[in-house]
Amino acid sequence: MNNTENNTSCITFLGTGTSTGVPQLGCSCETCLSTDPRDKRLRCSALLTINNKRILIDAGPDLRQQLIKNKIYHLDAILLTHEHYDHVGGLDDVRPLGGVKVYGESNVLHAIQRNMPYCFVKNKLPGVPNLKLIEIDESEFEIEGIKITPIRVMHAKLPILGYRIGDIAYITDAKTISDSEIEKMKGLKILVLSALRKEYHFSHLSLDEALKIATKVNADTTYFTHAGHEIGLHSKINKELPENIHYAFDNLSIYF
Ligand SMILES: [Zn+2]
Ligand SMILES: [Zn+2]
Ligand SMILES: [Zn+2]
């Protein structure tokens, strides 16, 4: 990724798949067998480049290959939405990048400490990841002068966070979002929102539910992410969506 212009912001979708990824192990449906690169979805993650700072949102188990593919060898921060493995399972991979600040709510940071105790003991072995955990809540905060507004969303009964950063908001693993949180996303150029599949799911927005929220938020453009193989071929599903709403795909970069 080369983004040297100071005032250009960019989002690169590093992964747009649900927790199993697409193709799903052992599945031989049309989507899992597709050779279209847009139907190959790694676990959900995105890189935001704003004011030449690089902010990674979530660090799933495919992180190493995602960073290599996109030549990302430096991160200014990692924002975590929640502690599920498909969003944090690649944190160990940032080892060669030196110290990295990791932002998350207290329950998320506790989960990281439980899962990766070797990073946080007194006498660390040389070479373990140098993660600087920074606890956040629903209050606004700044990373290197960039204002971040957390957005509370519900992942079934689990409260998790999405983030608004300037003209873009990134919301994944949502099932419900209150109107007061939707209010915080008014005037967006880009909304990224999870939309798992057409069928109902207890903890994820279905396509219809995601379309309703996208309509309420009314961003200039909406990109859906965290897709399961059930959503079908990208080439087909994208044609069924309104003009300013698209399914994202891996390695898609949008400048704004
Ligand atoms: Zn997930
Ligand atoms: Zn499949
Ligand atoms: Zn989740």
Side-chain angles (χ1 to χ4, degrees), residues 183-238:
E183 208 46 47
K184 295 178 184 169
M185 294 189 275
K186 290 293 169 184
L188 287 178
K189 285 186 183 158
I190 296 178
L191 169 66
V192 179
L193 182 63
S194 54
L196 180 71
R197 62 188 191 194
K198 289 183 175 176
E199 300 79 15
Y200 172 87
H201 190 281
F202 78 102
S203 65
H204 289 277
L205 290 168
S206 65
L207 177 56
D208 276 352
E209 292 167 335
L211 282 166
K212 277 185 194 143
I213 288 179
T215 304
K216 276 192 188 177
V217 173
N218 195 24
D220 292 350
T221 313
T222 298
Y223 292 93
F224 288 151
T225 190
H226 208 284
H229 65 145
E230 307 97 323
I231 206 64
L233 300 175
H234 184 277
S235 58
K236 281 189 189 165
I237 190 70
N238 236 23

Side-chain angles (χ1 to χ4, degrees), residues 139-156:
S139 318
E140 272 178 16
F141 62 99
E142 280 192 8
I143 296 174
E144 311 259 359
I146 300 166
K147 188 173 95 173
I148 318 280
T149 306
I151 310 283
R152 170 67 71 213
V153 306
M154 295 303 293
H155 188 12

Side-chain angles (χ1 to χ4, degrees), residues 168-179:
I168 187 166
Y170 185 96
I171 309 287
T172 189
D173 291 54
K175 179 63 185 176
T176 52
I177 310 176
S178 71
D179 285 343

Side-chain angles (χ1 to χ4, degrees), residues 48-110:
L48 286 172
T49 307
I50 294 178
N51 297 345
N52 279 332
K53 301 295 177 193
R54 290 173 161 190
I55 299 173
L56 180 75
I57 305 185
D58 286 337
D62 296 318
L63 187 63
R64 177 177 167 275
Q65 55 172 315
Q66 291 165 328
L67 297 182
I68 290 171
K69 169 102 185 169
N70 290 281
K71 298 190 169 58
I72 300 161
Y73 308 132
H74 169 79
L75 291 172
D76 291 289
I78 300 176
L79 293 180
L80 298 176
T81 59
H82 65 303
E83 68 274 33
H84 286 165
Y85 189 77
D86 58 319
H87 298 263
V88 303
L91 274 176
D92 191 82
D93 291 342
V94 303
R95 254 186 285 169
L97 305 187
V100 181
K101 292 176 189 155
V102 179
Y103 294 77
E105 291 189 276
S106 65
N107 60 310
V108 178
L109 300 185
H110 282 132

